[in-house]
Amino acid sequence: MTAPRHALRVIKKSARIALRRSPAWKVGATVRRRAASGLATGRSTLVDSVLMPAAHGSAARVQYAAVLDGHTLNLNAVLPSGTPADGSAHVLLVSGPTRLRAEARLRQDAAGRTTAEATVLLGEEIGGLPLGTGRWTLGLELDGAAAPVRLRLLGDGPPDYAGPTRALATCPRTGRRHRLGLTPAGQLRLTVAAPLPRAEVLRIERSFTGAKLLFALYGPAAGTTGDPRPAVELVDQQRRQLLHHDAEPLPGDDTAWRVTLPLGRLLAGTSGRQTLSLRLVPGPRGAKPLDLGRHDHDLNAPRKVLTPPAFTVRTETGAFIQVKPQYTRRGALQLVCTPSSLGST
């Protein structure tokens, strides 16, 4: 990369940082939060004042709905007045001609209302419902003496998470993504998306002359790198390639790999701070390179929690380099390498 292009990149990055720290950005974030809160309040009013009365007893009011740990649907809904609590019920998921059913539990709450509760495992591979990709509309089916009674599920959608954690949308076992939302008519809907290729960092093994990076491949990436071995590329901010090395398989795990990073040799003669990135080349099915990054999580502020400890390596010239692993906002692993004056020769 030429000097003018590098200078332009530095200017753009500095401008983005300054914008995020500016009072105007904080005001914008406050406005967005208030708008979201107002939208949620208006949506709740619409459901309770318009949609539920218009349903004429053919809908249940969703109190809580969320997909937790990436593959478990949790649901709680209030049934129409007069519904007995001693019957049986099922959650109904419909996508085109396909209908799937999962058991639900009926009970009476403290206010005397009949409610339905369900915990549904999603994914045939893990013993749950065989959901295919696409949109699934959710409802309830009450088993009656004459014929089953079907109720629509109307609600406000999944809850907001203001604390340190949030719901995990991606299944750690299958890689499929599950997102709850609402149809234009306010009915609860589950969208299932195909897994994305992921290269997740499992562990960083440190040594005095470098490090070994253990990572695992999931989704489309896992099925395309069994033979030959996946190649890992180490590049600096100018996109100069410092290392191109085939990873070694880890015994007993077809998806896990190890790559050795001889930082002591690669950083010999380094006089300034360098930021290094790791990526899988080529990407799955010949796509663009795939960044090696953090594992899926349920944290709202992962950069403050999922940062591995820094360590020091000794270069071939006798100098010492402090290596600080960190993750970008998009989740890619970076190694920030800073020469140290202590102990250098």
Side-chain angles (χ1 to χ4, degrees):
M1 181 179 293
T2 62
R5 289 181 61 189
H6 175 58
L8 184 60
R9 282 193 56 175
V10 172
I11 292 172
K12 288 182 177 179
K13 185 175 181 180
S14 301
R16 286 196 298 268
I17 294 174
L19 178 62
R20 286 196 297 267
R21 294 178 178 176
S22 68
W25 181 269
K26 295 179 181 178
V27 171
T30 302
V31 171
R32 288 193 297 272
R33 285 195 299 270
R34 290 179 178 176
S37 176
L39 178 62
T41 302
R43 185 173 54 199
S44 181
T45 302
L46 174 67
V47 172
D48 292 327
S49 302
V50 179
L51 298 180
M52 287 299 296
H56 299 294
S58 64
R61 179 64 163 91
V62 176
Q63 299 295 301
Y64 177 84
V67 177
L68 305 179
D69 65 25
H71 52 228
T72 305
L73 171 65
N74 285 262
L75 177 68
N76 181 282
V78 176
L79 275 59
S81 176
T83 303
D86 56 354
S88 59
H90 292 84
V91 177
L92 189 65
L93 294 93
V94 180
S95 178
T98 305
R99 295 176 180 268
L100 301 176
R101 299 163 80 241
E103 185 177 356
R105 301 172 300 279
L106 299 182
R107 68 178 186 87
Q108 274 195 338
D109 62 9
R113 302 175 303 179
T114 301
T115 64
E117 298 176 348
T119 302
V120 183
L121 196 60
L122 307 176
E124 187 177 16
E125 301 90 336
I126 56 177
L129 291 182
L131 291 177
T133 57
R135 294 178 173 179
W136 296 79
T137 303
L138 278 69
L140 278 176
E141 190 174 74
L142 307 179
D143 298 330
V149 177
R150 289 177 181 168
L151 301 175
R152 289 178 292 157
L153 284 172
L154 302 180
D156 301 333
D160 294 326
Y161 296 91
T165 61
R166 58 174 175 79
L168 184 63
T170 303
C171 174
R173 297 275 299 277
T174 65
R176 279 194 294 270
R177 295 160 290 156
H178 304 96
R179 182 172 58 86
L180 276 175
L182 299 175
T183 68
Q187 190 168 356
L188 196 63
R189 180 170 62 190
L190 176 67
T191 301
V192 183
L196 293 174
R198 308 194 320 273
E200 296 183 357
V201 175
L202 301 177
R203 188 167 71 251
I204 299 176
E205 296 179 345
R206 299 165 289 172
S207 70
F208 199 51
T209 58
K212 291 183 179 180
L213 181 68
L214 279 64
F215 64 96
L217 304 179
Y218 300 101
T224 58
T225 53
D227 187 20
R229 297 178 178 183
V232 175
E233 185 179 59
L234 183 69
V235 298
D236 61 12
Q237 282 186 309
Q238 288 76 40
R239 298 303 179 192
R240 291 182 304 157
Q241 184 188 103
L242 302 183
L243 174 74
H244 187 278
H245 188 63
D246 288 343
E248 304 171 354
L250 288 182
D253 191 341
D254 294 337
T255 64
W257 304 83
R258 178 193 290 115
V259 62
T260 302
L261 307 176
L263 298 176
R265 173 174 60 83
L266 299 175
L267 298 175
T270 298
S271 58
R273 172 174 166 171
Q274 285 198 59
T275 301
L276 310 179
S277 302
L278 294 113
R279 56 191 189 182
L280 197 68
V281 290
R285 300 173 185 173
K288 65 180 182 179
L290 180 65
D291 290 331
L292 271 66
R294 62 176 176 238
H295 59 80
D296 246 345
H297 57 83
D298 60 354
L299 302 171
N300 274 327
R303 298 185 74 187
K304 298 180 180 179
V305 180
L306 301 179
T307 300
F311 59 98
T312 301
V313 300
R314 185 179 188 274
T315 68
E316 293 180 347
T317 59
F320 289 87
I321 303 287
Q322 184 191 56
V323 182
K324 181 181 178 182
Q326 66 181 23
Y327 292 99
T328 67
R329 291 182 179 275
R330 302 181 64 180
L333 177 66
Q334 288 183 337
L335 302 178
V336 180
C337 307
T338 307
S340 173
S341 58
L342 298 177
S344 59
T345 58

